[in-house]
């Protein structure tokens, strides 16, 4: 997910970020709801806890972020470019069940709900956005958003396609985010299983066949 992100400035406080990640991981657990609901493929609305169970700003952030991603996915499907036959073959080898749904969306800046001050504040605490942070590519579902001018090489495309497949095999984007944040807190970015799987694709598909 963050394979293509380059950070050119030091974060304000690693301790603050760690504390924020811990709070988000806890919020993920609260927002996940019953396991059988996720297995049934119900959307995030059905998985939201009863009032008061997840009242922290991090829980609100996650819920709002997942809802926002829905609009981004719809927009990206309308605007994006379908994969070429060679890219479809790559997506199929990676294990994407519906590669025909994948779209590449080229934009000046990878979207984030920065217009909401609270969303931006927590996004900065988590390192999603902020001074010196450039997000070059990110999968939000079947859409992969790519910053204009960034060279989405074959191995980097493979990396992002793995994230598409990871999202696809989860019940929802919300379920994926829950798993992602928990792994990030437990293992750190480089060693978390979801990213290890994606980085492996960089090596396996290092060159175009």
């Amino acid at each position: 997910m963050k394979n293509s992100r380059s950070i050119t400035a030091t974060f304000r406080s690693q301790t603050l970020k760690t504390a924020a990640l811990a709070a988000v991981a806890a919020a993920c657990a609260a927002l996940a709801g019953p396991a059988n609901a996720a297995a049934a493929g119900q959307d995030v609305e059905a998985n939201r806890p009863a009032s008061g169970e997840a009242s922290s700003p991090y829980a609100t952030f996650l819920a709002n972020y997942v809802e926002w991603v829905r609009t981004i996915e719809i927009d990206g499907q309308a605007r994006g470019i379908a994969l070429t036959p060679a890219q479809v073959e790559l997506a199929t080898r990676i294990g994407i069940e519906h590669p025909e749904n994948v779209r590449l969306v080229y934009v000046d800046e990878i979207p984030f709900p920065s217009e909401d001050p609270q969303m931006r504040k927590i996004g900065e605490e988590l390192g999603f956005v902020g001074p010196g942070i450039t997000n070059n590519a990110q999968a939000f579902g079947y859409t992969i958003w790519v910053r204009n001018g960034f060279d989405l090489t074959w191995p980097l495309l493979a990396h992002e396609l793995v994230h598409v497949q990871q999202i696809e095999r989860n019940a929802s984007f919300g379920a994926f985010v829950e798993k992602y944040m928990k792994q990030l807190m437990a293992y750190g970015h480089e060693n978390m299983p979801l990213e290890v799987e994606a980085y492996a694709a960089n090596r396996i598909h290092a060159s175009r066949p």
Side-chain angles (χ1 to χ4, degrees):
M1 198 172 188
K2 303 300 185 291
N3 175 69
S4 306
R5 173 167 292 175
S6 60
I7 300 175
T8 57
T10 304
F11 290 123
R12 291 175 300 166
S13 168
Q14 188 62 36
T15 301
L16 175 63
K17 184 179 178 185
T18 300
L21 284 172
V24 169
C28 277
L31 285 170
N36 60 344
Q42 296 178 17
D43 63 24
V44 70
E45 291 290 341
N47 292 337
R48 282 183 176 172
S51 177
E53 285 184 10
S55 58
S56 80
Y58 298 103
T60 301
F61 169 84
L62 284 167
N64 290 342
Y65 184 74
V66 169
E67 286 298 314
W68 172 81
V69 166
R70 290 185 181 191
T71 67
I72 290 299
E73 180 74 357
I74 292 170
D75 183 32
Q77 285 292 319
R79 297 170 51 190
I81 303 168
L83 299 180
T84 66
Q87 291 170 337
V88 167
E89 183 180 352
L90 173 62
T92 301
R93 290 205 305 273
I94 284 171
I96 294 176
E97 186 175 352
H98 296 288
E100 71 279 4
N101 292 341
V102 179
R103 296 291 184 271
L104 300 178
V105 190
Y106 290 89
V107 288
D108 289 335
E109 185 178 358
I110 304 301
F112 184 84
S114 298
E115 65 280 358
D116 183 319
Q118 185 64 17
M119 294 287 283
R120 181 171 184 85
K121 176 178 179 293
I122 295 179
E124 288 178 349
E125 290 178 5
L126 297 173
F128 289 170
V129 292
I133 298 175
T134 302
N135 191 356
N136 289 313
Q138 185 169 344
F140 288 108
Y142 282 114
T143 58
I144 300 173
W145 295 67
V146 185
R147 184 179 60 80
N148 286 328
F150 177 69
D151 184 13
L152 188 67
T153 63
W154 197 252
L156 292 179
L157 173 61
H159 183 107
E160 295 303 327
L161 287 172
V162 168
H163 287 312
V164 171
Q165 199 274 335
Q166 291 169 344
I167 296 167
E168 184 183 58
R169 73 187 186 224
N170 279 275
S172 65
F173 182 82
F176 168 77
V177 169
E178 175 201 356
K179 183 179 295 183
Y180 193 95
M181 297 307 296
K182 285 182 176 179
Q183 288 189 9
L184 181 61
M185 190 61 204
Y187 301 99
H189 181 264
E190 296 297 324
N191 296 316
M192 56 185 289
L194 288 170
E195 285 296 347
V196 169
E197 180 184 10
Y199 280 117
N202 290 54
R203 299 186 297 272
I204 295 170
H205 305 285
S207 60
R208 188 185 295 261

